Amino acid sequence: MRNGVNHNRPRNGLVAALDIGSTKISCMIAKPSADHSSGPGLDARIVGFGHHVSKGVQSGIVVDMDSVEKVVRSTVEAAEQMAGENIHDVIVNVNIGKPKSRLIAYEVSIAGHEIGDADLRRILDPKGLVENEFNSSEVLHKIPVGYSIDGNKGIRDPRGMFGERLVVNMHIITADSGPIRNLETAISRCHLGVETKVLAAYASALACVVEDERQMGVTCVDIGGGTTSIAVFFDGELVHADSIPVGGQHVSNDIARGLATSLHHAERMKTLYGNAIPSSNDDREVIKVPLVGEENNSEAWQIPRSMLVGIIRPRMEEILEMVRDRLVQAGFDKVAGRRMVLTGGAGQLPGLPELAGTILNKQVRVGRPLGMDGLAEAASGPAFSTCVGLLNFALNENQDLSYDTYKQGTLQANGRLGRLGHWFKENF
Ligand SMILES: Nc1ncnc2c1ncn2[C@@H]1O[C@H](COP(=O)(O)OP(=O)(O)OP(=O)(O)O)[C@@H](O)[C@H]1O
Ligand SMILES: [Mg+2]
């Protein structure tokens, strides 16, 4: 039982992820492999998993601290029990505080000399320039996405090169600090520390997008219960992220209201018979709808499936159009190519890839978490992309300048994402 004692156990090498979602809270514990001989990356195996229906969270925001605390405790305890070990710190996702994504260019003068470590340290100093510009919000990620020397773009590692002016393009993601503090407070009430925070959209994409897609350019859209989050990768790097406070719960609410049934039955009908696009059989197929307050009445209302699809489709269209409009506004509708990966619980709705393909003019596939050993069947669906992605972030993605763990030297940098990963680890 998690109690008031502050656990001060020695580090057991475990990495733990906590996803506080609008409909479910999940925790995964991974054990990195002790054998590093296979390369610079870390292999890991999931040894603990717990999940629970969420309470006290609306569109990702903590609205009832006590309820969240209770659910987090029991979820983490379930994962700890399965792992047979306790955890102290968690990597947590952030899908709140109106996350903002900005690409900023910083410039330093090189004056003709060879670019070395000192120049990079000056230009990438995570403490300096960046924090001052965003006083009321918290900087979640600072990702160097490319360098240019004297206007020549596309440089991945400028060291050893010559020039007059060195520019780094930095992708900075910020979010309002108030809601993040509440999230941290709920977690600390469970006697857990927050090891690092990762934007939900980023985490989801790390779990279900493959490296080739990242290189080619891809948009990953996680449609959850109360939020829809967007991550755009280009040239291997996360270049844009966004979040909209709508999701699958809005679809279920529409069904409940439209068919005068309970939310529970609306949810059930959506997952059993729902579709985002109509089919020719829809008028012939009949679905029973228990009316709200009359669940035990054997003479339930009957509707053709086309009526259900007729409620689901406009809401899904609206959500996808919002995604498209946000991408257009930010100028990322075309930049990231034509590939799109749909994930999140509500991303599983049949017919959604086709609808999304038409609205966003992209080739769409559904993405589920990839490549993590020990992932239980129950945790292998698109709803768990964020949670698996949090582990991926901790294990592989540590070239992000805001990630503290590698500063402490507790995890090894993975060279997969560019040679600079190791350099960052050594220097910040
Ligand atoms: N098979 C399915 N078809 C359609 N929708 C589904 C299916 N399974 C789950 N959903 C929907 O997925 C949503 C939950 O998704 P998910 O678990 O990703 O949300 P969450 O992470 O808790 O919420 P958020 O990320 O928005 O905070 C619910 O609205 C649920 O109705
Ligand atoms: Mg989610």
Side-chain angles (χ1 to χ4, degrees), residues 21-24 95 224-227 248-249 267 270-271 344-346 348-349 383:
S22 312
T23 62
K24 52 125 187 36
N95 204 5
T227 57
Q249 282 173 335
E267 184 72 28
K270 181 179 76 174
T271 43
Q348 303 171 84
L349 183 75

Side-chain angles (χ1 to χ4, degrees), residues 261-272:
T261 192
S262 67
L263 257 178
H264 168 74
H265 283 109
E267 184 72 28
R268 202 168 164 271
M269 268 189 276
K270 181 179 76 174
T271 43
L272 284 180

Side-chain angles (χ1 to χ4, degrees), residues 67 69 79 81 84 105 115 159 170 181 207 219 239-240 248 310 341 367 382:
S67 303
E69 182 189 335
Q81 236 167 40
I115 297 166
R159 284 171 302 164
M170 194 97 89
R181 263 211 203 143
T219 305
V239 290
H240 180 68
V341 177

Side-chain angles (χ1 to χ4, degrees), residues 19 21 24 222 224 386:
D19 170 11
K24 52 125 187 36
D222 179 316
T386 309

